[in-house]
């Protein structure tokens, strides 16, 4: 039988200091190994039970003693000694060969026997616990142990109990025999005799309590002086006489947006619409922010790119569609004719309602990964609230993106259109930029007509799909996704830009001025009006102003950052490789040449504004850190759920 | 009590020379060592209260009744590994606990220590409470006795100490 380590004989008793219990002095206790005989052995030797006087009985009684003392190992016991003192400690060993002296670990005296009688020791000991306490058999009076496990059930339950008491280490947890063991959950009750700490009081129990100042409380309780300044983290709202109007306006817009119909599950839930007609929507789909593709085909690369580009789209277009593969936006736009681009470029202004999506749908061309929906939706948004400088900047940003994404898209696709489109888009870009900012050099006049208009027109006739609608074709779905992504999922702004670029260009040429309501129709007319003789961009006063969505904050828009940085007057060179690699986010396919259009210069922003090493956000970076001159106070941050 | 055969299973009522009185059922009696093993309480469940008593300390006893052997030999079980583990964990636990208790300190001091330990890392250094390894609070553990540490930490400990004392006062006065 194996002998547990703990029971191996220690060095001779001389090594151990005398303990209080050792009144006899000189009494040595030999630490013999306690023979832990397995019970099987005892079964054989013990034959009889009560009453037997046979020779075996004595063996059995001895065996029982040995057995029981073994059961006590590791157990907390109380040992009474001759002089009346009582010790408590962990039972470590007994001298089973001889007279069963006891060894305790971490022992404490809890009762002191003196000549005057026993005296209890106060709970808070005056001495540290004794690491090892030896009680010779002569001193021993009795050993008391409670809740000792003797049988196998006892052991099992004790094991369980213990394992849950102590700190669990990995190997303990991973031991398979503990699998499935659960512990009884108990409701937490505060200690009875401990008065409730002020910090535990639930200040928020009951009605919403706005009078609690955490800093003040901290100061009071702990003397911590706070250096928190809210303005470091957010834009300071200028409260003045115009606040009222602006507020009202903002409220109106917010209400409109929040009341919009949506196909996006999350948005719908937030707004209280019930979209759950599809029963296999589980909790994850409803509440997770993980996008699972909804059954559409997302090729990896496309997704990447799209993700980058999507964010701007999302903000612009609002939440008109549910989540579909965002990635499609860019690529599809590239492949589509410029008409598709139109919508994207106008993305800035508005989170257009589903009508925009419908427009996009119209533009959808089977052959292409068209984000027509999105594009369509963008068209209305084209009504820039020009006063909104931000949108303009957004435009620029988008323009940049557009250029880059165009390039990327083109590189990826093999369509013969591509090159032409690229040049067109670039031209459009410059055209657009010229229109918008009156910046200097304009590229060769964009000739959108060279673009395959036919495609668009054919698509225009298509029944517009609502934003939430998912078409069977992957491409269609992509369109949907686009729009959708525009709406709610914060995506990098770059995607938007690409779209917006081309779209903006085309819009510029085609004479924008569409109202959001004229989604489908306008698109059709748009297509037909696309001509080389571009008209000037006309501001649509009915357009909704752009509201930055929260998502835009989160997403890096590396391309835009890079583009901002270069505010040169250099000649626009198509296909110029801009060293745009400022903190490029992981989603940026760096191997794609980025077409930089230096003409896209921000209108008002000072150079410092677009700091490449600054926060990698789109317009979000304006807030808090820089002099916010682009956002009107009415721009409320509408927290977008995702 | 020599000569007496302690029958397994007998329920005895025992008085010891030290003044203890109890009842228990005999599990075993080892003549050689003169140790009587008793089981107290009802045999309900797998856990029992065991008492080992040196028979020479029995002042008097009486037989209450005779029952069966309380130890079912077939079900008896020993798992040395788990016993060992149990002991180790108990020792560890005890050592951890011992850190929490000051040696040679008053119960009031211990209460203060316990209260501080709820929100701050504290340890004992003889009779000094050391907070966050910087601030020291020595006897008699008044706010004036707080020393060391950064001013901020010092202040904080002082405040918590005051608060705790106030709380203790209201508690005792109730």
């Amino acid at each position: 039988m194996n002998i547990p380590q703990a029971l191996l004989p220690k060095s001779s008793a001389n090594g151990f200091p005398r303990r209080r219990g050792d009144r006899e002095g000189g009494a040595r206790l030999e630490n013999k190994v306690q023979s832990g005989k397995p019970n099987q052995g005892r079964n054989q030797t013990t034959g009889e039970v009560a009453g037997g006087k046979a020779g075996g009985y004595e063996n059995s009684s001895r065996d029982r003693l040995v057995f029981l003392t073994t059961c006590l190992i590791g157990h907390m016991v109380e040992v009474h000694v001759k002089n009346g003192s009582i010790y408590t400690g962990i039972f470590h060993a007994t001298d089973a060969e001889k007279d069963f002296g006891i060894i305790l670990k971490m022992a404490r005296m809890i009762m002191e026997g003196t000549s005057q009688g026993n005296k209890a020791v106060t709970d808070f000991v005056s001495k540290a616990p004794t690491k090892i306490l030896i009680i010779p058999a002569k001193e021993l009076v009795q050993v008391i142990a409670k809740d000792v496990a003797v049988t196998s059930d006892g052991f099992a339950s004790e094991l369980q109990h213990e394992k849950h008491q102590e700190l669990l280490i990995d190997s303990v947890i991973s031991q398979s025999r503990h699998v499935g063991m659960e512990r009884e959950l108990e409701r937490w009750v505060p200690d009875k005799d401990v008065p409730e700490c002020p910090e535990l009081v639930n200040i928020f129990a009951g009605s919403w309590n706005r009078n609690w100042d955490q800093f003040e409380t901290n100061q009071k309780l702990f003397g911590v002086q706070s250096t928190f300044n809210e303005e470091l983290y957010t834009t300071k709202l200028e409260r003045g006489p115009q606040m009222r109007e602006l507020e009202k306006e903002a409220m109106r817009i917010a209400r409109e947006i929040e009341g919009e119909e949506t196909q996006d599950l999350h948005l719908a839930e937030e707004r209280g619409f019930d979209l759950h007609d599809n029963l296999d929507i589980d909790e994850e789909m409803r509440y997770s922010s993980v996008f699972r593709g909804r059954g559409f085909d997302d090729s990896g690369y496309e997704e990447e790119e799209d993700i980058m580009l999507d964010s701007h789209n999302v903000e612009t277009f609002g939440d008109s569609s549910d989540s579909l593969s965002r990635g499609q936006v860019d690529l599809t736009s590239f492949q589509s004719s410029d008409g598709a681009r139109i919508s994207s470029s106008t993305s800035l202004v508005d989170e257009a309602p589903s009508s925009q999506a419908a427009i996009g749908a119209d533009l959808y061309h089977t052959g292409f990964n068209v984000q027509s929906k999105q594009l369509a939706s963008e068209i209305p948004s084209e009504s820039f609230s020009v006063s909104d400088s931000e949108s303009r900047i957004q435009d620029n940003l988008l323009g940049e993106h557009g250029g880059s994404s165009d390039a990327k898209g083109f590189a990826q696709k093999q369509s013969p259109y591509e090159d032409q489109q690229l040049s067109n888009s670039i031209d459009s870009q410059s055209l657009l930029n010229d229109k918008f900012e009156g910046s200097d050099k304009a590229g060769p006049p964009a000739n959108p007509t060279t673009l395959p208009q036919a495609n668009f027109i054919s698509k225009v006739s298509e029944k517009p799909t609502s934003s939430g609608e998912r078409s069977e074709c992957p491409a269609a779905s992509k369109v949907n996704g686009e729009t959708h992504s525009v709406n709610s999922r914060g995506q990098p702004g770059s995607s938007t830009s690409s779209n917006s670029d081309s779209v903006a260009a085309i819009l510029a040429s085609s004479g924008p001025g569409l109202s959001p309501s004229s989604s489908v129709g306008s698109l059709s007319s748009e297509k037909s009006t696309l001509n080389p003789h571009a008209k000037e961009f006309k501001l649509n006063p009915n357009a909704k102003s752009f509201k930055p969505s929260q998502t835009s904050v989160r997403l890096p828009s590396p391309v835009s950052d890079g583009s901002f940085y270069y505010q040169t007057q250099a000649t626009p060179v198509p296909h110029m490789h801009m060293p745009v690699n400022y903190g490029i986010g992981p989603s940026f396919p760096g191997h794609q040449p980025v077409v930089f259009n230096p003409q896209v210069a921000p209108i008002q922003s000072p150079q410092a504004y677009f700091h490449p090493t600054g926060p990698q956000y789109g317009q979000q970076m304006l807030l808090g850190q820089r002099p916010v001159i682009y956002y009107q106070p009415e721009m409320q941050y509408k927290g977008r759920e995702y | 009590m020599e000569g007496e055969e302690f029958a397994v299973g007998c329920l005895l009522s025992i008085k010891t020379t030290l003044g203890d009185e109890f009842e228990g059922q005999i599990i075993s009696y080892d003549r050689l060592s003169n140790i009587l093993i008793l089981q107290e309480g009802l045999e309900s469940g797998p856990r029992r209260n065991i008492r080992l008593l040196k028979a020479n300390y029995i002042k008097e006893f009486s037989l209450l009744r005779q029952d069966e052997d309380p130890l079912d030999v077939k079900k008896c079980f020993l798992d040395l590994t788990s016993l060992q583990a149990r002991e180790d964990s108990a020792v560890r636990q005890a050592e951890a606990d011992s850190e929490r208790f000051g040696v040679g300190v008053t119960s009031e001091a211990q209460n203060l220590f316990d209260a501080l330990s709820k929100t701050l890392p504290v340890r004992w250094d003889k009779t000094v409470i050391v907070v966050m390894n910087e601030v020291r609070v020595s006897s008699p553990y008044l706010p004036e006795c707080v020393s060391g540490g950064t001013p901020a930490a010092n202040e904080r400990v002082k405040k918590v100490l005051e608060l705790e004392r106030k709380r203790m006062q209201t508690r005792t006065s109730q």
Side-chain angles (χ1 to χ4, degrees):
Chain A
M1 49 207 81
N2 55 336
I3 293 161
Q5 275 303 103
L7 300 181
L8 282 177
K10 293 186 169 48
S11 56
S12 71
N14 290 336
F16 292 108
R18 292 288 171 237
R19 294 293 167 209
R20 238 183 235 191
D22 197 357
R23 285 288 166 86
E24 299 286 302
R28 281 180 302 119
L29 178 67
E30 284 172 8
N31 279 338
K32 294 286 188 70
V33 174
Q34 177 176 2
S35 52
K37 283 188 202 167
N39 188 45
Q40 284 65 23
R42 286 183 39 251
N43 266 337
Q44 288 147 19
T45 52
T46 55
E48 33 277 75
V49 199
K53 267 200 194 180
Y57 188 72
E58 277 212 4
N59 280 347
S60 84
S61 65
R62 187 71 187 225
D63 288 343
R64 285 183 176 218
L65 182 57
V66 170
F67 168 73
L68 280 170
T69 48
T70 311
C71 287
L72 291 180
I73 291 180
H75 213 86
M76 205 65 180
V77 299
E78 231 180 61
V79 179
H80 299 230
V81 289
K82 203 158 84 168
N83 68 351
S85 303
I86 302 181
Y87 295 90
T88 175
I90 300 167
F91 190 93
H92 172 65
T94 182
D95 184 2
E97 304 269 315
K98 289 216 144 168
D99 49 5
F100 285 88
I102 303 281
I103 300 184
L104 297 180
K105 274 197 177 171
M106 305 303 282
R108 275 193 307 133
M109 179 190 283
I110 55 175
M111 184 89 72
E112 187 164 1
T114 61
S115 45
Q116 289 90 19
N118 289 352
K119 162 180 90 173
V121 175
T122 56
D123 215 19
F124 299 105
V125 294
S126 52
K127 287 183 68 169
T130 313
K131 287 251 157 62
I132 297 184
L133 177 66
I134 304 173
I135 298 169
K138 285 203 164 66
E139 305 287 318
L140 183 63
V141 175
Q142 56 182 342
V143 177
I144 302 177
K146 301 223 185 315
D147 291 335
V148 182
V150 172
T151 59
S152 45
D153 340 321
F155 269 102
S157 66
E158 175 169 331
L159 206 60
Q160 189 178 5
H161 181 65
E162 249 178 47
K163 289 308 177 194
H164 288 120
Q165 275 193 329
E166 210 195 331
L167 223 49
L168 295 179
I169 52 178
D170 274 10
S171 56
V172 166
I173 295 172
S174 66
Q175 279 167 18
S176 57
R177 63 193 165 114
H178 294 294
V179 163
M181 279 192 195
E182 299 203 341
R183 62 185 166 139
E184 187 73 43
L185 296 179
E186 294 172 1
R187 192 188 166 82
W188 174 77
V189 283
D191 296 336
K192 302 283 191 295
D193 52 346
V194 171
E196 211 167 336
C197 315
E199 49 263 36
L200 289 182
V201 169
N202 187 359
I203 294 193
F204 300 107
S207 59
W208 176 247
N209 181 2
R210 305 208 85 164
N211 299 329
W212 183 68
D213 179 0
Q214 58 175 332
F215 303 115
E216 176 195 312
T217 307
N218 211 20
Q219 160 100 27
K220 217 187 332 155
L221 280 181
F222 303 112
V224 174
Q225 179 63 39
S226 141
T227 57
F228 177 76
N229 175 14
E230 191 179 61
E231 291 175 24
L232 289 175
Y233 302 100
T234 185
T235 313
K236 184 163 167 55
L237 271 185
E238 301 292 341
R239 299 205 171 263
Q242 291 99 0
M243 245 348 238
R244 202 80 166 99
E245 295 170 11
L246 296 174
E247 263 180 21
K248 272 199 286 184
E249 181 67 11
M251 288 301 298
R252 176 189 73 79
I253 297 175
R255 250 181 291 120
E256 253 186 62
I257 294 173
E258 283 165 0
E260 277 170 4
E261 265 195 22
T262 173
Q263 285 297 321
D264 176 15
L265 265 187
H266 302 85
L267 291 173
E269 176 134 358
E270 181 169 292
R271 295 181 187 169
F273 304 139
D274 184 16
L275 276 190
H276 304 164
D277 43 348
N278 181 3
L279 285 181
D280 73 348
I281 292 178
D282 61 354
E283 207 171 51
E284 185 196 353
M285 231 172 214
R286 266 196 277 155
Y287 299 116
S288 156
S289 60
V290 173
F291 174 62
R292 296 268 183 214
R294 298 292 185 91
F296 295 113
D297 173 34
D298 309 308
S299 65
Y301 177 79
E302 284 175 313
E303 184 124 58
E304 256 184 45
E305 204 173 278
D306 292 335
I307 288 173
M308 263 193 357
L309 304 175
D310 267 347
S311 57
H312 281 293
N313 288 337
V314 174
E315 292 133 46
T316 315
F317 300 141
D319 53 356
S320 47
S321 61
D322 43 10
S323 56
L324 289 175
S325 120
R326 318 195 183 348
Q328 313 315 327
V329 178
D330 265 346
L331 304 175
T332 60
S333 64
F334 295 140
Q335 292 186 341
S336 66
S337 55
D338 279 355
R341 306 240 179 77
I342 296 178
S343 49
S344 49
S345 58
T346 54
S347 59
L348 286 186
V349 184
D350 201 0
E351 304 93 330
S354 32
S355 60
Q356 291 181 343
I359 297 175
D362 285 351
L363 293 177
Y364 167 60
H365 184 242
T366 343
F368 299 107
N369 299 334
V370 178
Q371 306 75 359
S372 50
K373 201 187 271 198
Q374 173 178 354
L375 301 175
S377 54
E378 285 179 325
I379 293 176
S381 62
E382 142 196 3
S383 50
F384 289 80
S385 31
V386 181
S387 58
D388 183 1
S389 48
E390 173 200 282
S391 38
R392 231 180 297 178
I393 292 171
Q394 182 76 352
D395 238 8
N396 296 333
L397 293 174
L398 297 175
E400 293 309 320
H401 290 301
S404 55
S405 40
D406 280 352
K408 281 179 289 189
F410 293 146
Q412 197 184 21
K413 306 297 173 178
Q414 314 303 322
S415 150
Y417 284 133
E418 284 167 13
D419 291 340
Q420 185 178 29
Q421 283 174 346
L422 174 58
S423 52
N424 282 337
S425 63
I426 293 171
D427 289 345
S428 313
Q429 229 174 334
S430 41
L431 187 65
L432 175 61
N433 294 329
D434 286 350
K435 294 274 186 288
F436 292 167
E437 299 115 21
S439 68
D440 38 69
K441 180 143 170 228
N447 200 343
T449 46
T450 57
L451 301 171
Q453 299 292 328
N455 295 333
F456 275 108
I457 296 176
S458 64
K459 282 313 142 189
V460 167
S461 53
E462 264 188 26
K463 181 177 173 352
T465 59
S466 67
S467 52
E469 183 177 326
R470 308 182 195 182
S471 45
E472 293 70 25
C473 302
S477 61
K478 285 176 183 172
V479 174
N480 287 343
E482 231 179 75
T483 331
H484 180 66
S485 61
V486 168
N487 294 336
S488 51
R489 307 283 174 256
Q491 305 292 339
S494 49
S495 57
T496 321
S497 58
S498 60
N499 295 325
S500 55
D501 245 338
S502 40
V503 176
I506 298 180
L507 280 175
S509 52
S510 54
L514 307 166
S515 60
S517 51
S518 65
S519 48
V520 180
S522 58
L523 185 59
S524 316
S525 56
E526 271 260 314
K527 292 304 148 254
S528 53
T529 61
L530 282 177
N531 56 50
H533 315 295
K535 295 191 206 153
E536 285 225 11
F537 165 73
K538 299 235 183 330
L539 173 68
N540 179 0
N542 297 330
K544 297 183 182 174
S545 40
F546 168 75
K547 284 183 185 36
S549 91
Q550 211 171 27
T551 54
S552 67
V553 181
R554 299 202 283 266
L555 303 159
S557 49
V559 178
S560 61
D561 281 345
S563 22
F564 287 146
Y565 186 69
Y566 281 80
Q567 301 189 5
T568 63
Q569 307 305 316
T571 306
V573 177
H575 297 287
M576 177 175 101
H577 285 245
M578 178 173 65
V580 180
N581 278 312
Y582 300 98
I584 297 273
S587 62
F588 181 62
H591 57 285
Q592 291 296 326
V594 176
V595 177
F596 167 66
N597 189 340
Q599 288 197 332
V600 182
I603 302 166
Q604 309 172 11
S605 67
Q607 176 103 22
Y609 178 72
F610 299 99
H611 189 43
T613 60
Q616 299 288 329
Y617 307 125
Q619 62 279 12
Q620 182 47 28
M621 64 173 159
L622 302 177
L623 298 183
Q625 305 262 338
R626 326 265 171 184
V628 183
I629 49 182
Y630 300 99
Y631 291 92
Q632 296 173 352
E634 77 186 9
M635 296 225 146
Q636 293 179 0
Y637 249 62
K638 176 166 166 283
R640 289 309 191 100
E641 69 296 336
Y642 293 85
Chain B
M1 301 295 153
E2 11 261 1
E4 289 252 352
E5 288 294 359
F6 284 111
V8 172
C10 291
L11 194 62
L12 304 181
S13 165
I14 295 180
K15 267 207 196 115
T16 71
T17 57
L18 297 182
D20 282 338
E21 291 185 37
F22 51 86
E23 283 180 17
Q25 196 177 14
I26 297 179
I27 294 182
S28 170
Y29 170 66
D30 181 50
R31 183 164 294 151
L32 206 57
S33 58
N34 206 20
I35 290 182
L36 181 66
I37 307 179
L38 295 150
Q39 172 180 298
E40 291 178 54
L42 306 166
E43 193 205 324
S44 53
R47 315 287 212 111
R48 312 151 189 231
N49 295 339
I50 305 282
R51 188 188 285 256
L52 272 64
L53 176 63
K54 273 287 193 71
N56 51 321
Y57 290 98
I58 298 178
K59 189 155 96 174
E60 58 181 79
F61 76 100
S62 57
L63 177 67
L64 297 178
R65 68 169 178 274
Q66 175 107 18
D67 274 344
E68 290 174 353
D69 182 6
L71 203 63
D72 182 358
V73 162
K74 289 190 226 39
K75 278 169 64 175
C76 285
F77 174 82
L78 276 185
D79 179 356
L80 291 177
T81 334
S82 68
L83 286 177
Q84 186 58 46
R86 174 175 80 180
E87 182 185 348
D88 289 341
S89 86
V91 170
R92 253 179 282 142
Q93 184 70 35
E95 278 170 357
D97 282 348
S98 71
E99 302 256 325
R100 294 196 287 121
F101 293 108
V103 172
V105 295
T106 60
S107 60
E108 184 204 36
Q110 185 62 47
N111 286 339
L112 284 172
F113 181 93
D114 290 339
L116 282 172
S117 75
K118 285 206 187 101
T119 52
L120 298 164
V122 283
R123 64 177 173 85
W124 281 108
D125 178 8
K126 303 279 188 332
T127 60
V128 174
I129 302 178
V130 182
V131 185
M132 300 186 284
N133 261 335
E134 316 177 310
V135 184
R136 300 176 70 89
V137 189
S138 45
S139 179
Y141 313 104
L142 298 169
E144 298 83 60
C145 312
V146 179
S147 66
T150 65
N154 197 302
E155 272 308 305
R156 181 165 161 175
V157 173
K158 275 204 179 88
K159 279 213 150 52
V160 178
L161 199 60
E162 280 170 15
L163 211 62
E164 183 53 33
R165 280 191 170 272
K166 257 190 239 139
R167 233 184 268 143
M168 278 163 54
Q169 265 176 6
T170 53
R171 216 190 313 162
T172 53
S173 65
Q174 277 166 3

